[in-house]
Structures are given as C-alpha cells and as structure tokens.
Amino acid sequence: MSFRIFSLLTLFLVCLLHGHSQLRAEKPNVIVIMADDLGYGDVSCYGATALKTPHIDQLAADGQRFTSGYCSASTCTPTRYSFLTGTYAFRGKRTGIAPPNAPAIIKPGTETVASLLKRAGYTTAVIGKWHLGLGGEAGPDWNGDLKPGPLEIGFDTCFLLPTTNDRVPQVYVKDHRVLNLDPADPLWVGNKKPSPDHPTGLTHRDTLKMDWSHGHNSTIHNGISRIGFYTGGHAARFRDEDLADKWVEKSVEFIEANKDQPFFLFFASHDIHVPRMPHERFQGKTSLGYRGDSIIQLDWCVGELMKTLDRLQLAENTLVVFCSDNGPVMDDGYKDGALEKVGDHRAAGPYSGGKYSVYEGGTRTPFITRWKGHIPPGVSDELVCTIDLPASLATLTGQKLPQDACRDSFNVLDALLGKADAAGRAHLVQQNNGNNGTYALRVGKWKLQRYDKQTARNIIVEQQLSNTKVPQYQLFDLEQDPAEKQNVIQAHPELAQRLKKQLADLIEQGSSRPGAVAPVEK
C-alpha cells in the first residue's frame, strides 16, 4: 500500500514539474536590445566589412535575421513611443524629439509592452536611454520625484539616461530619483543661459575635447557641449565614456536577481548616438573613428548580455530581440570624424536616406530574433516592425489586448519565431519625426512617400545629410529599385491613387490593428 502511495506521489511530482517547465517554456524571458542610430549596413551580418560585430553576428546565426525589419519612425522619441505603446507616434501628442525638460509623453494608465508582460507575471525593467519625458505637465522635478515615468506605465524598475546624451542633464535616474544627487548642490535644467558667465560651446570652444559642428553648443560637461543648459548636480554627473559599462552592469544585476522568474528587460543602448564617446578601451579600434568604435562597443554589450544568459543557463528560455530606433547619420552635430573616415562603409547598406527621412535607410534597420531551441536559424524577408512587439508578446504570454490599446501593433509572433509559412504585416506606415506630415507607406514591394508640410527630404548623399526638393508624392518599386532613385508614380496612376487613399485612411481612422478602436477624446 505504501509503495502504491509512493508511486502515485512520484507520478504527481513528475507531472507537476513537467507542467511547470511547460509553463516556463510558454513564458520565456524577453530582452529587447535597441541600438540608437544604427544603420542597416552598420553590422557585419548585414554586410559591413570595415568592422566586425561578432556578438551581433552570432545572434543572427542562432536565430532569424530579418531583411525587412523596421522601426516605425526615423527618429528616436517617436520610435520608442511606438515600440512601447504599439501605436503610431503620429497619433499622439508631443511625440517628436523630446527636449530636456519634456514631461512624460506616455501617460499613466496607457497599455504598454511592459504593462502587458507585468500582468503576465513578468518582472520588468528599462535600463539605458529613455528620452520619453519625465514628470507631470510642468516637466521634471529634477530635485524631487521624477514621476510619472517608466514605473507608472508598467516597469517595476528603471535605470535611465533621462533624455539623450547630446541634451542635458548628464545624470542617471534610478526609479523616481536622480542618483547620487546632493541636496546642497541642486540640479537646475533650462533652455536659457542661467548667467552671463555660464560656459558654453560658443564662449569656451577652445576647451572642448570634441568640437561641435552645429546646434550642440550650450552647456559644457566632460569637455563636450550639449543642447540646453544646466547647473548643479555635480556629484550625480556621469562620464560619457562609462555609459555602456553602466548599462551592462545594471542589466546583469537585474538578470541575476530575476533568473528564477520570468523577466522583461528593455536594454536601451545609447550607442551609436552622438556625442559618440566610447570607453577608452574601444577608442581607435576601428578605421571609422568614434562612430565605428561605438559600434563595436555596442557589440561588446550584446556579448556581455549573452554571456550572462549562458552563465545562468537562461539562453534556452530567453527570447532576444535586437533592433535599432532609426537609421544612421554621420555628422549629427559633432566633429567626431564619422564623415571624414567613412571610406567605403555604407551605414544604410543598399538603401537611401537615414535618420530624419522616410526613405528606407531611415527606418529599415538590423532586426534579429533569437530563442535557442525555439527559433530556427535563418533569414526572413517578412515585414516586421518594432511596433509589433506589444501584440506579438501579448500573444506569446496569453494576454488580451484592450480594444483601445496598441492600436497599430500586429501579431507577427509566428514570423518572429521563424515558423514556416508565417506571414509578417501586410503594410507599414513610416514617419520621420512627431506628426509633421511626412509619411511613407510600404505595401508589398511598393513604397509611397507623402510630404504634407514640406517638400524637402533628408537623404545621405556621399554619406552626408542633404535636403533635396521633392514632390508631395513619390512611388517606388522596392524590388527593382531598393535605393528609391526612380519615382514611378506617373507610370502607375491607379496604383498610386489606391495607395494614397490607403495611407490617408490609415492615418485618419485612428487605428490599424484588426479589432482596435481609437479612444474617445475626453
């Protein structure tokens, strides 16, 4: 009798453990690594030959490398907004590049990829560049509680660069507070010079260790002048060269602390955004100047995260997504040698445009998924976008999307997982910055561009941004003309008219995800 009871108990425990392992298999850890200003052609697995990115290459070799992977905007704030909320940024307010004192752009109560995963039992963190505003309508209280912020939209913890590093202030934010801030040395951030003798990149240019080329000539910190003004907070200030190390350090701490339960980590790298000031051990390691050196620093970060997963035996239970917030730019305000040393390197790969533009180089970027033992190695040409991660991860973890949430996020999970015959999204709206009326629509091989408020585009000409006059609408066949050099709108009037209407409808109807509806304005 006792043997029978023992056998039944053993069988029960085996079933329980099997069920637990099945549950864990259905809810893998999720790490989204978002690079900053990284172009399609900036890493070696996408064709770069001037430098090597072995850790990113290994991710691609272990999983799916997408050739039609996109972000939804060609600048940082709108892409990050769309990635987190699953809604095109042009539907929101103040979603253009955020100034230093911007209030929180994503309001408390908004459904985000973090809140979805938190509801599914995940511990959630964002570590790295934020640039989505902090605080209420009056803006950040730098000497008090910085909320609302990430913790009010689904993150359990955060360790942030609050804006972007070419904008002030150069301090870390841990959860709701500036880290290491001395009350006797309060932090002030403003858009006007605080005193006549305040040092700036204009008045003290000869003291700079990295000179500016345009726009970045206000307050000086660490020998680099920035956009905006600030004083105080000296004990809280960081060194640019240490940013990547700090992101890795805090990310490893988070992974180790949560290795026994599902976690979601948004690793928001600042590389390779300006000012490009990699750690000394990476400086001079490529022929491309600090821009290239920052790429291999980014690759090192990826390697350190993957080594941590291996050490903790988490690689087979972690979905890793590698992407970028927009395409490349050479001279983005600093004289760091990027343009002069570019040589034959083509940051946007075969595509025209880059950061700030709706040409393919602005939004088509490296996009890789890896989940060892679940995602087969391969290359996919399915159309996927960072805006699709909320809906796809909700499906993965069994969460239902509210009707008025994630309004443009498509469930492309099967494509992300590399399943045979899986389809990506059927169409994608691209934008440049904010909601200023510059859009593009990709449907299959066709690409329509629309310019409402301007007739100029940003395109990389000999690796430098140039403004060129264009008509309001342009049409390109990406199969025949991936570089978007031949406007064929006159040859396809009926197709152009259909795409114009489709784009207008997608913009005006307030949502594009099946079943989603725009919220009622209060």
Side-chain angles (χ1 to χ4, degrees), residues 266-340:
F266 175 25
F267 182 90
S269 174
H270 191 264
D271 290 324
I272 54 177
H273 195 283
V274 297
R276 301 164 186 136
M277 185 55 63
H279 193 275
E280 286 85 352
R281 66 182 184 278
F282 296 108
Q283 293 179 15
K285 297 299 183 182
T286 73
S287 63
L288 303 179
Y290 280 0
R291 186 176 186 276
D293 300 344
S294 295
I295 293 173
I296 64 167
Q297 177 172 265
L298 168 68
D299 184 69
W300 171 82
C301 292
V302 172
E304 291 302 297
L305 295 180
M306 297 311 104
K307 288 176 187 176
T308 301
L309 295 180
D310 290 339
R311 173 170 57 84
L312 299 175
Q313 299 183 339
L314 295 175
E316 294 186 358
N317 195 43
T318 303
L319 169 62
V320 179
V321 180
F322 178 84
C323 56
S324 180
D325 68 347
N326 51 252
V329 60
M330 296 294 118
D331 181 351
D332 203 23
Y334 293 98
K335 297 179 180 181
D336 60 6
L339 188 60
E340 295 80 3

Side-chain angles (χ1 to χ4, degrees), residues 26-28 30 116-117 120 122 392-399:
E26 292 169 2
K27 290 188 176 180
V30 178
L116 286 164
L117 292 177
Y122 283 66
S392 302
L393 294 175
T395 299
L396 178 66
T397 57
Q399 299 304 300

Side-chain angles (χ1 to χ4, degrees), residues 80-247:
R80 290 160 198 272
Y81 174 93
S82 296
F83 153 60
L84 289 174
T85 66
T87 299
Y88 286 130
F90 59 75
R91 304 200 195 282
K93 297 177 181 178
R94 296 186 299 201
T95 57
I97 299 174
N101 272 330
I105 296 169
I106 304 175
K107 303 305 180 186
T110 303
E111 192 79 271
T112 66
V113 64
S115 63
L116 286 164
L117 292 177
K118 184 173 182 177
R119 196 160 61 245
Y122 283 66
T123 303
T124 57
V126 53
I127 296 173
K129 171 178 168 175
W130 183 238
H131 207 190
L132 286 164
L134 293 166
E137 290 304 306
D141 177 5
W142 294 106
N143 300 287
D145 283 338
L146 290 164
K147 62 181 182 181
L151 273 59
E152 284 65 52
I153 57 170
F155 288 101
D156 291 304
T157 188
C158 64
F159 193 95
L160 308 175
L161 169 65
T163 59
T164 190
N165 204 27
D166 62 338
R167 287 161 173 76
V168 300
Q170 278 56 59
V171 297
Y172 295 121
V173 170
K174 172 71 169 70
D175 295 338
H176 286 138
R177 306 286 295 195
V178 172
L179 190 67
N180 298 325
L181 185 62
D182 181 359
D185 182 27
L187 182 61
W188 172 87
V189 178
N191 57 11
K192 294 182 179 179
K193 197 171 181 178
S195 63
D197 60 349
H198 183 78
T200 70
L202 287 170
T203 61
H204 291 67
R205 195 168 189 170
D206 59 344
T207 69
L208 300 177
K209 69 180 181 183
M210 178 181 285
D211 197 8
W212 54 274
S213 58
H214 57 272
H216 297 72
N217 50 30
S218 296
T219 292
I220 299 171
H221 168 72
N222 192 30
I224 303 169
S225 53
R226 324 279 170 151
I227 295 172
F229 298 92
Y230 77 121
T231 60
H234 290 85
R237 300 190 187 191
F238 56 69
R239 223 175 53 113
D240 302 73
E241 293 87 342
D242 299 326
L243 277 176
D245 283 357
K246 184 59 70 173
W247 306 147

